[in-house]
Each structure stands twice: as structure tokens, then as C-alpha cells.
Amino acid sequence: MVMGEKRTSVTKTFGILTAGGDCPGLNAAIRGVCRAAYNRYGMSIIGIANGFTGLIEENARLLKPGDFSGILTQGGTILGASREKPFKHETYEAGDIVGDKVLAIKDTYHKLGLDCLVLLGGNGTHTTGYKLACEGLNIIGLPKTIDNDIVGTDRSFGFHSALSIGTEAIDRLHSTAQSHSRVIVIELMGHKAGWLALYAGVAGGGDTILIPEIPYDVNIIARHLKERRQSGKHFSIVVAAEGAMSIEESRMDKKGRKKYRLEHGPSTAYRIAREISDETGIESRATVLGYVQRGGIPSASDRVLATSLGTAAADLLARGEYGRMVALDGNDIVSIDLSVPEGKVKAVPLDHYMIDTARAVGTCMGV
């Protein structure tokens, strides 16, 4: 093929949007998809503003090369994002009558003359994407989330950047915990899965790591912290995922757990710090890292992954292989059917090597 000659493509025009929470690497992924689609295949690209809201409100524009140039290192997303869930409040099965928002999305898709819609998002986004595919739209997904909890991919972009941020925060807390002989509980994101807390906890040398998959016993945590004191270690770092729960909480239904947390808030770290103080008498403090975890520039690893997933998505577009999500499988970029991640969460397996690694170096997992 002559340099600069366009390759053939089934897809002529596609739309692209970012949905859910922002995370490092979104712009790198946008750049990867758009550059490959435009430079290699000559596709037309329609940028959809603010997630699914943009489709509902017909807020879209033609993207030109200047729009996706120079954005590799930028945090956030040039397209904007929202948490709009068009199928929310609907018990959906393929062929069901859908609500006005879904009808508006379908209408905008056809008005814009799209051959496919590329979605950059997490679990909720891919669940919506699968449902839209069942409604007859052509969909391709790219997995992003700092939680790393999307089924079907070994890693999602955004995770590595958040891991680096979380680890640095733990490193910094060690010195203040040591100076004041305190227990400091740091809360990281991870509502349903504990990948981020587990990996950052190991990387940062957390003395206790608490994740949603392993309900904790505060008495065991207290005993571990007391033993550290008795051995001459007068400070401790507890790394907790936001979804970490006690054994008692794990026995509650969703409604009961929500009520309990509202009464014992304001968040997981504060609740656990109070429990530790009550059980040990050791001065304990809480730190909630919050949105800092998903802000800022992406790590080199996430830039590479996001770019690779993006260019692979462009190849799927060119071949007309729709209803797929690009994914990392070992060292290979592959694609899987959208039904695989739909409605699921990739939890940390209880036999995962990182749990054993944490325990092997003396980390308490709360049980």
C-alpha cells in the first residue's frame, strides 16, 4: 500500500462519546480511535457531547484532526461526560417498548447518519451499549474505569494512573502517621470491587487492607494493630476501598446497609477509624482521597493501553465488526461480545495471588 493511501472501511461515519465518571486516559483513547479511523481509513467522526445526554439532546459536532491532536497527555475528556442512564427505571429485554430517552438516542443516531457508535466507559456504559445494540444500533466499546472492574478485560485504562496516585498518597501518610503515632485509614475508590485498594495497599505497604470482597471483623483488625504496637511499631496505615464492609454489614440487605451507613457516616474511612479507636483506644484518623484519584494526566502505561485499545477499535470499525468491546487479554488486544461485560462486575477472586501476596508480607485483610 502506498504511504498515505486510505484503506477500505465498512464504516464511513461513526459517533464517539465518553460516559460515566472521567478518568485518566480518555483523551488518549479518543485520540487513538480518531487518528487511526481518520488517517488510515478516512472515516468521518462525530463527537457527541456529555455522554448519552448529547445523543438525547442532539448535541454533536464533526471532529476534525485539530480536535484530536495534542490531547494524549490531557486529563479529563474533550467530549465531556455525564452519568445519564437512558434505560434506568426500565426492566429491559430485547424487543421491549422503550422510553423517550432511548427513542431520542435512536433518532439522533439515524439523523447523524452514523454507521456505528463508539462508547468509552465503564460497567454502566457497556450495559447501556449492549441494550442499544439489542435495539439495532451498531456499538463498539472501550473499557475505562479506575476500579478495573469490567468483566472481559484484564485491565481497563485509568486503573494504573489511579493506582499511582493512591500509592503516592499512602506513601505520604506514612510519615504523618509515624510522627503522631496514629492509625490512619485512607479510603480509595472501589464501591463493588477492591482492585484499587488491594494493589495500592500492597504497593504502599498498607498494614491492613479492606476490600468489599472480604467482609472484615473489627476485632481481628484491632488485634493486629495492637500486636504492631507491642512489637514497637506505633503507627499503622489501613487502606480501605469505599465499598469495604464489616461482617455484620454483609449480612444486611441493600436497604438495611444503606440505612446503617447513613447513620454511621460520613464515609467508610470515618466509620472504620471510629471502630478502630473504640476497639483499641489508639488515636485514629481518616483520609478520603476522593476525586483526586481520577484526575490529572494519565500514566505512561495508561497512555499506551488507551491508544492501543483505540486503534484496535478503529480496525473493528473498518471491518464492520460491531457489538464488540476491545479488551486486553494478557499481552494481546482482542475484542469480546458486548454481552460479556453487560450487567456484571469483575470482583477480586478470593484466591487471587495479590491477596496471598498481601498476607505473605504480614498485611491484615480483616479476617
Side-chain angles (χ1 to χ4, degrees):
M1 178 173 288
V2 178
M3 179 73 72
E5 184 179 344
K6 304 298 184 187
R7 302 181 186 181
T8 59
S9 174
V10 172
T11 301
K12 306 303 179 186
T13 303
F14 70 93
I16 183 169
L17 63 81
T18 52
D22 69 321
C23 84
L26 278 170
N27 284 325
I30 292 169
R31 173 181 175 273
V33 177
C34 295
R35 276 204 167 186
Y38 183 86
N39 294 339
R40 179 175 282 182
Y41 299 107
M43 298 181 207
S44 294
I45 307 160
I46 306 297
I48 313 295
N50 304 322
F52 293 109
T53 301
L55 279 175
I56 295 168
E57 299 176 350
E58 296 185 41
N59 188 357
R61 64 188 176 94
L62 180 68
L63 295 183
K64 299 177 181 179
D67 294 313
F68 43 84
S69 178
I71 64 172
L72 176 64
T73 62
Q74 290 181 17
T77 163
I78 62 167
L79 297 174
S82 73
R83 292 193 178 276
E84 174 62 57
K85 297 179 180 179
F87 288 92
K88 193 176 182 180
H89 309 307
E90 294 184 26
T91 302
Y92 177 83
E93 291 185 10
D96 284 355
I97 296 173
V98 295
D100 291 341
K101 290 182 178 180
V102 177
L103 291 175
I105 287 174
K106 294 171 70 174
D107 187 50
T108 300
Y109 177 95
H110 293 299
K111 279 184 179 179
L112 293 174
L114 304 183
D115 298 313
C116 184
L117 180 63
V118 175
L119 309 177
L120 282 65
N123 290 310
T125 301
H126 283 86
T127 295
T128 298
Y130 173 74
K131 292 175 179 178
L132 289 174
C134 291
E135 287 295 311
L137 304 191
N138 293 327
I139 305 291
I140 289 176
L142 281 80
K144 68 88 186 166
T145 172
I146 69 168
D147 294 335
N148 198 42
D149 61 353
I150 300 177
V151 171
T153 185
D154 288 346
R155 181 160 60 88
S156 55
F157 67 84
F159 174 70
H160 187 274
S161 301
L163 171 59
S164 296
I165 294 165
T167 301
E168 181 180 354
I170 295 168
D171 290 345
R172 291 176 179 275
L173 288 174
H174 267 96
S175 59
T176 189
Q178 185 174 21
S179 297
H180 296 277
S181 299
R182 289 173 175 164
V183 171
I184 293 184
V185 183
I186 178 171
E187 179 182 320
L188 302 183
M189 286 183 173
H191 182 64
K192 295 181 179 179
W195 295 101
L196 186 55
L198 176 60
Y199 275 66
V202 170
D207 305 299
T208 297
I209 300 173
L210 306 176
I211 60 176
E213 293 86 347
I214 306 177
Y216 66 84
D217 182 337
V218 70
N219 294 308
I220 290 177
I221 297 171
R223 184 168 67 240
H224 176 72
L225 298 179
K226 287 178 180 177
E227 288 174 354
R228 280 180 54 81
R229 288 234 155 184
Q230 291 166 2
S231 69
K233 299 173 181 177
H234 295 286
F235 73 97
S236 295
I237 300 292
V238 177
V239 182
E242 63 183 321
M245 67 182 79
S246 65
I247 292 173
E248 290 74 20
E249 286 178 275
S250 70
R251 293 168 179 159
M252 302 175 186
D253 59 23
K254 188 175 180 180
K255 185 177 180 180
R257 192 179 305 127
K258 183 177 181 180
K259 181 175 182 293
Y260 174 84
R261 291 184 171 186
L262 285 173
E263 293 172 349
H264 295 80
S267 72
T268 300
Y270 287 91
R271 185 173 67 252
I272 293 172
R274 186 180 62 252
E275 291 172 347
I276 289 172
S277 291
D278 291 345
E279 290 295 325
T280 65
I282 302 171
E283 186 179 12
S284 303
R285 293 288 187 270
T287 296
V288 180
L289 204 54
Y291 295 114
V292 170
Q293 294 161 88
R294 66 184 200 209
I297 64 174
S299 67
S301 178
D302 275 337
R303 294 179 205 181
V304 170
L305 178 60
T307 301
S308 299
L309 292 173
T311 57
D315 291 338
L316 290 180
L317 286 165
R319 295 193 297 267
E321 295 181 17
Y322 307 130
R324 312 287 293 175
M325 181 186 82
V326 290
L328 179 66
D329 180 11
N331 292 319
D332 298 320
I333 301 296
V334 301
S335 73
I336 60 174
D337 194 90
L338 276 175
S339 62
V340 175
E342 187 264 333
K344 305 179 187 74
V345 173
K346 183 180 72 178
V348 179
L350 297 183
D351 60 352
H352 195 274
Y353 77 92
M354 281 296 287
I355 293 177
D356 184 63
T357 296
R359 287 174 168 153
V361 296
T363 305
C364 173
M365 297 297 297
V367 291

